[in-house]
Amino acid sequence: GTIHRDKQIPDSRMSAKLWGKWDCNIEVNDLSLTDYIAKKGVYIPHTGGRWQKRRFKKAQMPIAERLVNGIMFHGRNNGKKLMAVRHVKATFEIISLVTDQNPVAVLTEAITKAGPREDSTRVGTAGVVRRQSVDVSPIRRVDQAITLICTGAREASFRTIKSFPECLADEIMNAAKGSSNSYAIKKKDEIERVAKANR
């Protein structure tokens, strides 16, 4: 016989805590990013969903999983998602110990602060190329913030004693504070400064 599934997602699914510890349903301070930072609760940020099938589908992906996917870069780390999940768990443990806050909230704050709001694009006509400043769409701000945070952590942990989770935790906490010690914040300021010059 046919099974009639309830279309409504039960509260237990929405309120699943990350690794059974941290609540994913957090307030996003930036109004423009509310639809692009997903609050879906998952136990482990490894859903195996097909997020690239439709445009903007990735906006519904749990934000912790987007961070996990952002780590898996640079040849030797390609596709090692279990390793990335382990790193993110360690990172979140460090963040919650240091800040006494929900690490998901800290990550969200970091993403809202680290994504450039204005960028410059190349407008070329007949071999003359000039930069034109443009506004950045919300989904690209989230994408770029995650990329910058992961890149900063990767560079910080390379050839040093500090482990990757420590560097990633530092990067996320500094970005959330808006501190210029963060690679992502420095890059964002630089991108916005260049864009301002090209208005």
Side-chain angles (χ1 to χ4, degrees):
T2 54
I3 301 168
H4 293 293
R5 285 235 174 83
D6 195 14
K7 287 284 182 242
Q8 226 53 41
I9 296 175
D11 289 342
S12 58
R13 273 258 314 273
M14 281 307 280
S15 63
K17 289 193 163 91
L18 206 53
W19 288 293
K21 291 178 187 175
W22 299 298
D23 190 16
C24 295
N25 193 9
I26 24 122
E27 207 52 49
V28 181
N29 296 333
D30 193 320
L31 192 70
S32 61
L33 300 182
T34 42
D35 295 341
Y36 296 99
I37 294 181
K39 301 175 177 173
K40 200 163 77 181
V42 285
Y43 282 108
I44 291 180
H46 191 318
T47 56
R50 300 186 303 198
W51 301 101
Q52 294 295 329
K53 289 289 177 197
R54 209 190 297 112
R55 196 179 175 197
F56 296 123
K57 182 78 187 291
K58 61 180 176 181
Q60 282 133 42
M61 190 183 208
I63 196 67
E65 185 168 2
R66 300 213 56 189
L67 181 68
V68 166
N69 290 347
I71 294 171
M72 300 190 292
F73 280 97
H74 276 298
R76 57 184 186 173
N77 299 326
N78 287 164
K80 298 185 184 176
K81 191 158 181 178
L82 293 178
M83 184 174 81
V85 169
R86 207 168 59 236
H87 283 333
V88 169
K89 186 178 183 184
T91 302
F92 279 12
E93 295 281 6
I94 295 169
I95 291 174
S96 78
L97 279 174
V98 175
T99 60
D100 283 332
Q101 286 170 299
N102 181 348
V104 186
V106 178
L107 173 66
T108 307
E109 188 64 27
I111 286 171
T112 51
K113 292 209 173 123
R117 292 159 299 196
E118 192 181 22
D119 204 343
S120 40
T121 180
R122 293 177 57 188
V123 176
T125 42
V128 183
V129 173
R130 49 180 282 268
R131 312 292 295 273
Q132 172 67 44
S133 81
V134 287
D135 295 336
V136 179
S137 71
I139 195 154
R140 181 164 165 81
R141 277 179 60 191
V142 175
D143 295 347
Q144 247 181 325
I146 292 171
T147 308
L148 289 175
I149 287 169
C150 292
T151 308
R154 193 178 297 117
E155 285 182 11
S157 71
F158 191 56
R159 293 209 181 126
T160 49
I161 307 169
K162 272 178 88 169
S163 70
F164 183 78
E166 286 170 32
C167 295
L168 186 57
D170 279 351
E171 180 66 39
I172 290 171
M173 287 186 291
N174 284 333
K177 284 190 293 219
S179 141
S180 58
N181 293 348
S182 152
Y183 171 91
I185 297 285
K186 271 199 296 233
K187 273 285 190 213
K188 175 200 130 174
D189 289 343
E190 185 190 325
I191 290 170
E192 288 185 350
R193 200 168 57 243
V194 171
K196 193 175 176 186
N198 291 319
R199 271 181 190 161

